[in-house]
Amino acid sequence: MNIDSSLASAEHLIAAPARLVVRTTPLDLPSADADPAALLDFLPADSSLSWVRRGDGLVAWGEVARIETTGDAQFSRAESAWGHLLQTMTVHDDVRAPGTGPVAFGSFSFDPSSGAGGVLVVPAVVVGRRGSTAWVTTVTPDTAETGPAQPTLAELLSVGAEPVRGPGRVTYSAGSRTAEEWLDIVTQAVARIRSGALDKVVLAREVVARTAAPVDPRWLLQRLAGSYPGCWTFSVDGMVGATPELLVRSEKGLAISRVLAGTVRRTGDDDADLVHAAHLARSSKDLEEHEYAVSSVARELEPFCTSMNVPEAPFVLHLPNVMHLATDVTGVLDRPGVSSLTLAAALHPSAAVCGTPTLVARDLIREIEGLERARYAGPVGWLGADGDGEWGIALRSAELSPEDPCELRLFAGCGIVAASDPEAELAETEAKLEPMRSALG
């Protein structure tokens, strides 16, 4: 494979043919209502990429180009390299909808000082659906010949024909900290907050899962999409999950961010859950935590917008395992060409995954958490040629081990404020681990 030396400069790593041809053509798919998991049926066992919600979204496979960045400028370096790569492409787009044409799937680290860095992957084949519109995009090296014909629906489905296999028996063990050690860390954080050092910090913990058979990402994706259709089910470079939190979507000049903070576990009893939802909506502790998160998103988004809408009160988002306080912050963008990745960089890390003040909270996380988050709680999503795209926060997720196909790290975190009770926060992490545990089976 040829590597364009101009693209490999400025601390970018891009492996790609010198010239690429991108073709997007319509595809006849059943409606999302008929089969909300149909997109996932296209995925092969290896190199699966996914961004799916309620049957719409993108799935992809193969790798034509890869951009890797590290350090504080991980976002800007990736975006610059993506712009250079787009200049090598000849694009034929017969659909012209959000997500058609050239697309890169991305996943970035929570803390750039960790060395984990970020990645953009340009797939060889993308299958997408948005309402009644469906398409296939192929990315191939440019040749003097006409190039390969677009794959048929039958050919695309044959890619995912290999049976999806379960992981077998799953065992769990403590990660970098035991539950008892994590309780002590929360106690330390509450003491710092009550001393006036900061207002909120988000602390995470990990659980290590070991499976009897190698993990097939499709097994996780299909179960997550089936159980949590209202979440964004993602798979990018070893990060797999179903996040309820949209960091930012930009589309045709409009930006939206869904902020979640404040959580209560569901009981399975509808009447009891309605009572819990009402308590959550009035909880001073949870409302305080939520306000910090909303304010941080609104503050960082405002410089990019001519107008914004920040609701005065949150709504309660009902998920199968938990309920969250949620607020959708929207803005009209005032800068032509501002990309979704630029917005994601400005918004990350928000108070929902870091704390308030952000830099103080991040320093405290580095000091006491004792966990290498890597790309957990970092932006994950996709970016198009026009800059529009969708970026969630990598929550309710797991990191597949690149060395051991039978090992995963599961993550969960909680917002800690002055009124936090360590035992209650530990119980909340257990509730947030449930989606990935259930997906493993």
Side-chain angles (χ1 to χ4, degrees), residues 34-122:
D35 188 357
L39 280 181
L40 297 171
D41 291 339
F42 290 94
L43 290 175
D46 299 323
S47 305
S48 296
L49 296 162
S50 170
W51 182 261
V52 173
R53 180 175 185 262
R54 300 196 188 282
D56 284 352
L58 306 170
V59 296
W61 57 92
E63 186 173 304
V64 173
R66 182 182 187 87
I67 301 167
E68 295 180 350
T69 62
T70 58
D72 290 336
Q74 61 173 335
F75 296 101
S76 60
R77 288 170 175 164
E79 184 158 9
S80 176
W82 172 238
H84 282 296
L85 188 59
L86 289 173
Q87 294 174 22
T88 73
M89 297 179 179
T90 300
V91 180
H92 306 279
D93 186 349
D94 296 334
V95 179
R96 297 191 178 278
T100 65
V103 168
F105 287 74
S107 176
F108 291 84
S109 65
F110 169 78
D111 184 349
S113 71
S114 69
V119 62
L120 289 177
V121 177
V122 181

Side-chain angles (χ1 to χ4, degrees), residues 178-369:
T178 66
E180 291 73 20
E181 290 170 332
W182 195 78
L183 287 172
D184 181 62
I185 292 169
V186 174
T187 300
Q188 294 179 50
V190 170
R192 294 286 188 94
I193 293 169
R194 290 177 179 174
S195 75
L198 71 168
D199 299 313
K200 172 187 173 181
V201 65
V202 179
L203 295 177
R205 58 184 286 251
E206 65 177 342
V207 172
V208 177
R210 180 137 200 98
T211 60
V215 175
D216 184 339
R218 299 173 301 170
W219 172 271
L220 302 175
L221 294 172
Q222 289 179 358
R223 292 166 70 89
L224 288 168
S227 298
Y228 300 88
C231 295
W232 288 266
T233 300
F234 63 87
S235 174
V236 180
D237 199 48
M239 286 299 297
V240 179
T243 180
E245 190 150 359
L246 185 69
L247 181 63
V248 67
R249 174 197 297 126
S250 83
E251 184 177 322
K252 298 180 180 178
L254 187 67
I256 183 170
S257 178
R258 169 162 289 184
V259 183
L260 307 182
T263 305
V264 65
R265 189 167 193 165
R266 297 196 71 159
T267 66
D269 181 310
D270 290 343
D271 292 335
D273 285 340
L274 286 175
V275 173
H276 289 313
H279 284 313
L280 178 65
R282 297 192 301 268
S283 165
S284 58
K285 178 263 183 188
D286 290 293
L287 287 168
E288 177 188 20
E289 179 187 344
H290 189 79
E291 177 56 31
Y292 290 137
V294 172
S295 296
S296 103
V297 166
R299 182 173 60 251
E300 298 302 332
L301 194 59
E302 186 176 20
F304 299 94
C305 298
T306 57
S307 61
M308 291 184 62
N309 177 41
V310 183
E312 293 183 1
F315 64 93
V316 177
L317 177 67
H318 294 252
L319 298 174
N321 60 321
V322 294
M323 294 177 285
H324 294 292
L325 293 179
T327 295
D328 289 338
V329 177
T330 58
V332 178
L333 297 172
D334 72 344
R335 301 186 195 177
V338 172
S339 78
S340 59
L341 190 53
T342 295
L343 297 175
L347 293 172
H348 177 75
S350 74
V353 294
C354 185
T356 305
T358 302
L359 296 181
V360 178
R362 192 170 65 181
D363 286 344
L364 183 58
I365 290 169
R366 291 169 177 168
E367 178 187 345
I368 70 174
E369 189 176 70

